[in-house]
Amino acid sequence: MNKIILLPLTLLIFFGAFAGELAKGSKLYQKHCASCHGVDRAGTVAPPLLPLFLKKIPEKKLIYIIKNGLPATQMPAFPQLSEDEIKSIIAYIKTPAKINWSEEKITNSISIENLPTKKLPIKNIKNIVAVVERGHQKVWIMEETKILDKFDFRNVHGGLKFSPSGWKLYVPSRDGWIGRYDIDKGKFFGKVRACVYLRNISLDRTGKYILVSCWLPRSIVILDAESFRPVRFIKQDGLISAIYELYSKDKAIFTYRDKAVIGFLDTKDFSIVYKKIKEPYEDFFIDPFEKYIVGTSRKGTQLIVYDINADKEIFSYPIEGMPHLASATFWYKNGKFYFATPHIGKPYITIWQMYKWKFVNKVNIRGNGFFVRTHPTTPYLWTDNGKDKIVLVDKNDYMVKTVETIKGKRVIHTEFSGDGNLAYVSLYNKDGALLIYDSITLKLIKKIPASIPIGKYNIINKSRKYAPYLLGKDVFLAKCWGCHHQTQSAFGPSFKWIVNHRSKDIIISHIMNPEATYKQLGYKRNAMPRLDLSEEELKAIVSYMMEFKDAENN
């Protein structure tokens, strides 16, 4: 009987002591921390102090930071606080908090910089590369091997997006801030805080709106891309994995980590249609021709293909280790389209055929990789494996070779210039570097010191609308190179001449059935072979051709 009475009494004492500790921590927090981190811990001039941001930081490190501050930041030291007082603050900031966010708070957060403009010496906007230097909280604007400008952005982590023209760059942070750099004016425009914890951003296909997926509060926020003013605040009851725009229609697609649903957002009226699926897609990509969604779950037991037009899953394949589908890469060879993806926590990448969906190969890269990239200019898939070498996988026979970098430095994330001639590779260390290689000879051209450089972003390689263009270059090299040149006359007219003198419909008709169209084009006889292209090959080659259309003829 005594034991039954003592147990609740013990619990009451424990919870009473814990409540007292939290009350003490709350009081100390409001006195010492609230002016920078916010009364509600949502952050103001300093980052949020909430469980989502703190769960991976050991208590010992938090104690050290509060006691000693952080050099080169606005975080001061608090040597006057005892260790017990600091532990009370830590206990308090690790408890859940109710976050209220609103369109009014978004509007009040808008900060527009009044900086002078400057003209950057840009030769080709499509070769601009934005580099995230996480260690110094900076973003670089580069072309080829030159840094043209740098700007500060606190808590930058990646996920940068270009406007459709490429002349504006949008930069998100995990704590909800979105900044814009105007490349055409050579200056940082300003920033806005869309929410407290941000997953990713996208732009609608016109570039008019910024689409923001948020975890705190759970929402989709639509912002005017020019003024940053909120247009719509759409509450959600799940954790969104990511949101991506479609380039072919006024839609965006998002999925959840914790709900077996796909959301289709209309980017004109902001209505949402939800479609049920069998299990949540915690990571996904949309195929280059916007017919399918390829998704997977954190459990990593299935790779699934969802047909957007048919509203159903049409393919699944058992796998081990969650594919990192957001970093998948695409290419074309021998009449077929492929993608490759790394697997989180597994020492391999996998190769898959698209459109006649099937598993092709598992390639051992001898370590846990996180990114895989390619470009029509290179014969390789460029990946990393958590070590100090670049891992190259031949796209024809899947044989593996490595490129030495700097011993003991961790290689991560390759990206290419728009033309594919240069490969940018990060050495992901505090005393790391950005390495720039000739993508064909694999010769190191330049090494630029950098502190924890991570993502590199180029409009051709990172904007979804250019995926068919890149695949079309592969189709061109396989099917058209013998008779046509991109800009010069060869056996046949150049692509540049064709797209500036013929309609898109005529071009498609002539590719599909030249015998039926050659007279209409003024030829006495037909010299164009019938290529029997698949629907995807045709879309790819036409997309590639249309990039040579002069601006005045668009």
Side-chain angles (χ1 to χ4, degrees), residues 424-478:
Y424 300 81
V425 179
S426 293
L427 295 184
Y428 189 68
N429 301 82
K430 284 186 177 180
D431 57 344
L434 179 71
L435 306 180
I436 305 176
Y437 289 87
D438 184 302
S439 66
I440 299 170
T441 66
L442 306 182
K443 179 183 176 182
L444 178 64
I445 297 173
K446 193 168 186 178
K447 174 189 169 188
I448 305 174
S451 179
I452 315 181
I454 183 163
K456 280 79 61 187
Y457 301 86
N458 166 265
I459 188 170
I460 295 293
N461 297 292
K462 285 293 188 182
S463 294
R464 297 193 55 264
K465 70 174 184 175
Y466 284 108
Y469 159 82
L470 287 171
L471 292 171
K473 185 173 183 180
D474 274 335
V475 176
F476 163 73
L477 293 171

Side-chain angles (χ1 to χ4, degrees), residues 3-132:
K3 288 182 181 178
I4 296 172
I5 295 169
L6 283 173
L7 182 58
L9 184 60
T10 303
L11 288 173
L12 284 171
I13 293 170
F14 172 79
F15 286 120
F18 184 65
E21 184 80 356
L22 290 183
K24 177 184 173 185
S26 174
K27 188 175 180 180
L28 288 166
Y29 173 86
Q30 297 301 332
K31 180 179 179 181
H32 298 289
C33 314
S35 61
C36 292
H37 293 281
V39 173
D40 59 358
R41 294 157 46 206
T44 53
V45 297
L49 294 179
L50 299 164
L52 270 172
F53 296 88
L54 301 171
K55 62 184 179 182
K56 293 184 178 179
I57 305 176
E59 183 180 69
K60 188 178 289 187
K61 185 173 181 179
L62 289 173
I63 292 171
Y64 180 86
I65 291 171
I66 295 171
K67 194 81 173 176
N68 300 285
L70 285 172
T73 75
Q74 295 179 336
M75 175 66 188
F78 292 91
Q80 74 274 24
L81 296 177
S82 69
E83 186 165 315
D84 284 343
E85 287 175 319
I86 292 173
K87 285 183 177 179
S88 295
I89 293 173
I90 292 170
Y92 172 65
I93 63 178
K94 284 194 171 184
T95 58
K98 186 174 177 60
I99 299 298
N100 294 311
W101 207 249
S102 64
E103 292 185 29
E104 182 183 5
K105 286 192 174 185
I106 296 170
T107 301
N108 290 340
S109 75
I110 296 172
S111 173
I112 307 301
E113 302 286 342
N114 187 23
L115 299 172
T117 62
K118 57 181 180 287
K119 186 172 178 60
L120 303 181
I122 294 171
K123 292 182 282 187
N124 183 353
I125 187 63
K126 292 177 181 177
N127 275 333
I128 289 294
V129 174
V131 179
V132 173

